[in-house]
Amino acid sequence: MQPLQFLVPIGALEAVAGLLPIAIFAFVVLNMLTRVLQHRRHERQAEDGDDDEAIDRWAPHTATTLGLVLVSLLFMIVEPHGGMVMSILALAVFVTDFFEFESRKVEARSKSKTIERPTAAIGISVFAFLYAGFQGLFFVIAPIWNAII
């Protein structure tokens, strides 16, 4: 008996294994949408506030980022190769979101700079979107893919 076998119920996870790539794709799309809304919110907060204290994290964006990481880690249990790639991309989204938030605070503190778009987070989100789309929507291109390969 494995010591951690009851931490994640493998049987229940295998029952929803087919939905995990679609859930990951949905989390990536929601994360990109909340990133746009969070950026607009940060711009308003920087205009209204005098210092970086006005800028705060937005809970829906944080929730979608954490959900993306957790679901991709669950996907790694079911599909080790695709889950590992997706987990690395999801963790990269998490890390870039962390540093982009800190850079927004620096920009708000300096007042000489404008609040810029989170370019690094947008870039890694595009990679995550493409790979999650490949994993989750493969059934759309499967006939063409199988005919070629």
Side-chain angles (χ1 to χ4, degrees), residues 45-54 108-109 111:
Q45 288 173 343
E47 289 173 6
D48 296 341
D50 293 332
D51 200 7
D52 66 339
E53 296 298 321
R109 195 178 316 132
K111 286 295 180 188

Side-chain angles (χ1 to χ4, degrees), residues 71-138:
V71 174
S72 67
L73 290 174
L74 287 175
F75 185 56
M76 187 168 46
I77 294 171
V78 178
E79 290 287 331
H81 180 264
M84 177 63 77
V85 173
M86 194 64 233
S87 295
I88 289 171
L89 291 171
L91 288 171
V93 167
F94 175 77
V95 170
T96 54
D97 278 345
F98 176 77
F99 284 108
E100 290 287 351
F101 173 74
E102 294 300 323
S103 67
R104 297 299 83 79
K105 289 182 77 88
V106 169
E107 289 169 352
R109 195 178 316 132
S110 69
K111 286 295 180 188
S112 63
K113 295 183 178 180
T114 60
I115 301 294
E116 295 179 5
R117 281 187 236 144
T119 54
I122 291 170
I124 194 64
S125 291
V126 168
F127 282 116
F129 175 78
L130 292 173
Y131 193 74
F134 174 74
Q135 289 288 335
L137 303 174
F138 185 74

